[in-house]
Amino acid sequence: LSTRLLMEDAEANSPERPWLSLNVRQKMHASLAEFRDWVDNVYGVYLDALHGFPLVRDQQLAFKQEGATEFAYARLVKGGVAPRPIHLHQVGIDTVIERNTFGGQNAVFIGRMFIVSVYGFWDDHTREQLGVVLSIPKDQLKVPVMGDLRRMRHAIVHCRSRMDARAKKLEVLKWYSEGDVVSPTRDHVGEIMDHMLEFTRAFEAHPQRFIVA
């Protein structure tokens, strides 16, 4: 290490600014890098799904033109296997077409799962890690955009996706009012991704800005 870095590290290890120590910064970087990679992987799943839904729709439209009215996902029944229902899921073909349309039920659902997954990984893993690294309870780490995702997640998981009074506390992602249904679009998810990159960079540079008493 250079003399400058050694001096910075010694200064950072003072009681007033413990979060700036070189060791802490390295651990923070690793934790936030892991979070970014994980979120990017989830985003990839989201984009794959959005790409696939229209393919399913077009396939079903072709089946409908051939006269099909029902569609079923079925399992293969191998010889010697005890008899069991072969249909895992069966609905009208129009239902499959409709739910796979642009902005349809499937797209909304995968957007909701993106929000639930990103917030869950943050709160249960990354936030916990950062609290340990900074020697503080994780509840003292406050990131406005993650607070917004927490409120949306609550609506999705506990309120059948309908925002309650928590909508008034949205700080960054001000998309919904009380009573609105959380229905994230591709643009919404892209905006979340922008904020994930922005806040992780800001956190790494100035973690003290995200710590509350």
Side-chain angles (χ1 to χ4, degrees), residues 72-78 81-90:
Y73 285 103
R75 62 164 61 94
L76 293 176
V77 179
K78 299 180 181 179
V81 176
R84 56 181 176 168
I86 62 171
H87 288 166
L88 300 176
H89 174 69
Q90 183 171 359

mmCIF file of all heavy atoms in Angstrom, residues 72-78 81-90:
data_model
loop_
_atom_site.group_PDB
_atom_site.id
_atom_site.type_symbol
_atom_site.label_atom_id
_atom_site.label_comp_id
_atom_site.label_asym_id
_atom_site.label_seq_id
_atom_site.Cartn_x
_atom_site.Cartn_y
_atom_site.Cartn_z
ATOM 1 N N ALA A 72 -53.364 -27.453 -23.036
ATOM 2 C CA ALA A 72 -52.965 -28.095 -21.783
ATOM 3 C C ALA A 72 -51.469 -28.335 -21.777
ATOM 4 O O ALA A 72 -50.870 -28.673 -22.801
ATOM 5 C CB ALA A 72 -53.693 -29.419 -21.598
ATOM 6 N N TYR A 73 -50.867 -28.101 -20.609
ATOM 7 C CA TYR A 73 -49.503 -28.553 -20.367
ATOM 8 C C TYR A 73 -49.621 -29.938 -19.730
ATOM 9 O O TYR A 73 -50.348 -30.116 -18.749
ATOM 10 C CB TYR A 73 -48.772 -27.614 -19.411
ATOM 11 C CG TYR A 73 -48.365 -26.316 -20.055
ATOM 12 C CD1 TYR A 73 -49.073 -25.145 -19.818
ATOM 13 C CD2 TYR A 73 -47.259 -26.262 -20.902
ATOM 14 C CE1 TYR A 73 -48.702 -23.945 -20.407
ATOM 15 C CE2 TYR A 73 -46.874 -25.070 -21.494
ATOM 16 C CZ TYR A 73 -47.602 -23.907 -21.241
ATOM 17 O OH TYR A 73 -47.228 -22.728 -21.838
ATOM 18 N N ALA A 74 -48.905 -30.907 -20.280
ATOM 19 C CA ALA A 74 -49.037 -32.273 -19.799
ATOM 20 C C ALA A 74 -47.677 -32.865 -19.457
ATOM 21 O O ALA A 74 -46.643 -32.375 -19.912
ATOM 22 C CB ALA A 74 -49.726 -33.141 -20.843
ATOM 23 N N ARG A 75 -47.691 -33.908 -18.652
ATOM 24 C CA ARG A 75 -46.471 -34.632 -18.305
ATOM 25 C C ARG A 75 -46.380 -35.922 -19.123
ATOM 26 O O ARG A 75 -47.392 -36.486 -19.533
ATOM 27 C CB ARG A 75 -46.435 -34.958 -16.811
ATOM 28 C CG ARG A 75 -47.568 -35.859 -16.372
ATOM 29 C CD ARG A 75 -47.312 -36.474 -15.005
ATOM 30 N NE ARG A 75 -47.168 -35.502 -13.961
ATOM 31 C CZ ARG A 75 -48.162 -35.095 -13.176
ATOM 32 N NH1 ARG A 75 -49.387 -35.558 -13.375
ATOM 33 N NH2 ARG A 75 -47.957 -34.241 -12.213
ATOM 34 N N LEU A 76 -45.157 -36.343 -19.366
ATOM 35 C CA LEU A 76 -44.966 -37.627 -20.035
ATOM 36 C C LEU A 76 -45.203 -38.749 -19.032
ATOM 37 O O LEU A 76 -44.744 -38.686 -17.893
ATOM 38 C CB LEU A 76 -43.537 -37.722 -20.590
ATOM 39 C CG LEU A 76 -43.197 -36.758 -21.733
ATOM 40 C CD1 LEU A 76 -41.714 -36.909 -22.096
ATOM 41 C CD2 LEU A 76 -44.068 -37.019 -22.948
ATOM 42 N N VAL A 77 -45.923 -39.762 -19.434
ATOM 43 C CA VAL A 77 -46.172 -40.922 -18.582
ATOM 44 C C VAL A 77 -45.357 -42.085 -19.133
ATOM 45 O O VAL A 77 -45.642 -42.609 -20.211
ATOM 46 C CB VAL A 77 -47.667 -41.276 -18.550
ATOM 47 C CG1 VAL A 77 -47.892 -42.501 -17.666
ATOM 48 C CG2 VAL A 77 -48.484 -40.094 -18.042
ATOM 49 N N LYS A 78 -44.317 -42.455 -18.407
ATOM 50 C CA LYS A 78 -43.432 -43.522 -18.859
ATOM 51 C C LYS A 78 -44.003 -44.891 -18.489
ATOM 52 O O LYS A 78 -44.799 -45.022 -17.551
ATOM 53 C CB LYS A 78 -42.048 -43.350 -18.233
ATOM 54 C CG LYS A 78 -41.369 -42.039 -18.600
ATOM 55 C CD LYS A 78 -40.003 -41.923 -17.941
ATOM 56 C CE LYS A 78 -39.353 -40.586 -18.294
ATOM 57 N NZ LYS A 78 -38.022 -40.434 -17.648
ATOM 58 N N VAL A 81 -44.950 -46.569 -14.809
ATOM 59 C CA VAL A 81 -45.280 -45.555 -13.814
ATOM 60 C C VAL A 81 -46.758 -45.678 -13.453
ATOM 61 O O VAL A 81 -47.606 -45.865 -14.334
ATOM 62 C CB VAL A 81 -44.973 -44.141 -14.358
ATOM 63 C CG1 VAL A 81 -45.413 -43.074 -13.349
ATOM 64 C CG2 VAL A 81 -43.494 -44.009 -14.672
ATOM 65 N N ALA A 82 -47.034 -45.562 -12.166
ATOM 66 C CA ALA A 82 -48.426 -45.670 -11.724
ATOM 67 C C ALA A 82 -49.286 -44.618 -12.413
ATOM 68 O O ALA A 82 -48.827 -43.505 -12.660
ATOM 69 C CB ALA A 82 -48.487 -45.495 -10.206
ATOM 70 N N PRO A 83 -50.535 -44.951 -12.754
ATOM 71 C CA PRO A 83 -51.418 -43.989 -13.421
ATOM 72 C C PRO A 83 -51.555 -42.716 -12.593
ATOM 73 O O PRO A 83 -51.658 -42.753 -11.368
ATOM 74 C CB PRO A 83 -52.749 -44.737 -13.494
ATOM 75 C CG PRO A 83 -52.375 -46.177 -13.416
ATOM 76 C CD PRO A 83 -51.176 -46.236 -12.505
ATOM 77 N N ARG A 84 -51.548 -41.585 -13.283
ATOM 78 C CA ARG A 84 -51.748 -40.300 -12.618
ATOM 79 C C ARG A 84 -52.241 -39.316 -13.667
ATOM 80 O O ARG A 84 -52.075 -39.538 -14.872
ATOM 81 C CB ARG A 84 -50.455 -39.798 -11.984
ATOM 82 C CG ARG A 84 -49.294 -39.686 -12.950
ATOM 83 C CD ARG A 84 -48.036 -39.211 -12.248
ATOM 84 N NE ARG A 84 -46.899 -39.188 -13.167
ATOM 85 C CZ ARG A 84 -45.753 -38.601 -12.890
ATOM 86 N NH1 ARG A 84 -45.582 -37.997 -11.745
ATOM 87 N NH2 ARG A 84 -44.775 -38.619 -13.764
ATOM 88 N N PRO A 85 -52.845 -38.221 -13.241
ATOM 89 C CA PRO A 85 -53.346 -37.248 -14.223
ATOM 90 C C PRO A 85 -52.202 -36.741 -15.105
ATOM 91 O O PRO A 85 -51.127 -36.409 -14.601
ATOM 92 C CB PRO A 85 -53.893 -36.116 -13.342
ATOM 93 C CG PRO A 85 -54.189 -36.763 -12.041
ATOM 94 C CD PRO A 85 -53.136 -37.824 -11.868
ATOM 95 N N ILE A 86 -52.442 -36.719 -16.405
ATOM 96 C CA ILE A 86 -51.373 -36.261 -17.293
ATOM 97 C C ILE A 86 -51.426 -34.757 -17.532
ATOM 98 O O ILE A 86 -50.436 -34.161 -17.945
ATOM 99 C CB ILE A 86 -51.424 -37.002 -18.647
ATOM 100 C CG1 ILE A 86 -52.740 -36.723 -19.379
ATOM 101 C CG2 ILE A 86 -51.198 -38.486 -18.464
ATOM 102 C CD1 ILE A 86 -52.759 -37.249 -20.813
ATOM 103 N N HIS A 87 -52.562 -34.151 -17.286
ATOM 104 C CA HIS A 87 -52.683 -32.718 -17.504
ATOM 105 C C HIS A 87 -52.261 -31.949 -16.251
ATOM 106 O O HIS A 87 -52.860 -32.087 -15.191
ATOM 107 C CB HIS A 87 -54.109 -32.336 -17.891
ATOM 108 C CG HIS A 87 -54.466 -32.760 -19.282
ATOM 109 N ND1 HIS A 87 -55.745 -32.783 -19.743
ATOM 110 C CD2 HIS A 87 -53.695 -33.183 -20.314
ATOM 111 C CE1 HIS A 87 -55.775 -33.206 -21.006
ATOM 112 N NE2 HIS A 87 -54.534 -33.453 -21.364
ATOM 113 N N LEU A 88 -51.216 -31.135 -16.393
ATOM 114 C CA LEU A 88 -50.776 -30.303 -15.276
ATOM 115 C C LEU A 88 -51.561 -29.006 -15.219
ATOM 116 O O LEU A 88 -51.737 -28.422 -14.162
ATOM 117 C CB LEU A 88 -49.282 -30.007 -15.424
ATOM 118 C CG LEU A 88 -48.355 -31.218 -15.443
ATOM 119 C CD1 LEU A 88 -46.924 -30.781 -15.698
ATOM 120 C CD2 LEU A 88 -48.445 -31.978 -14.125
ATOM 121 N N HIS A 89 -51.974 -28.516 -16.396
ATOM 122 C CA HIS A 89 -52.657 -27.225 -16.466
ATOM 123 C C HIS A 89 -53.436 -27.182 -17.770
ATOM 124 O O HIS A 89 -52.878 -27.423 -18.841
ATOM 125 C CB HIS A 89 -51.630 -26.097 -16.420
ATOM 126 C CG HIS A 89 -52.206 -24.734 -16.636
ATOM 127 N ND1 HIS A 89 -53.031 -24.121 -15.713
ATOM 128 C CD2 HIS A 89 -52.083 -23.856 -17.669
ATOM 129 C CE1 HIS A 89 -53.377 -22.924 -16.160
ATOM 130 N NE2 HIS A 89 -52.822 -22.742 -17.347
ATOM 131 N N GLN A 90 -54.728 -26.901 -17.699
ATOM 132 C CA GLN A 90 -55.549 -26.869 -18.903
ATOM 133 C C GLN A 90 -56.514 -25.697 -18.839
ATOM 134 O O GLN A 90 -57.224 -25.518 -17.846
ATOM 135 C CB GLN A 90 -56.325 -28.178 -19.071
ATOM 136 C CG GLN A 90 -57.154 -28.234 -20.347
ATOM 137 C CD GLN A 90 -57.740 -29.613 -20.588
ATOM 138 O OE1 GLN A 90 -57.515 -30.545 -19.809
ATOM 139 N NE2 GLN A 90 -58.498 -29.767 -21.670
#
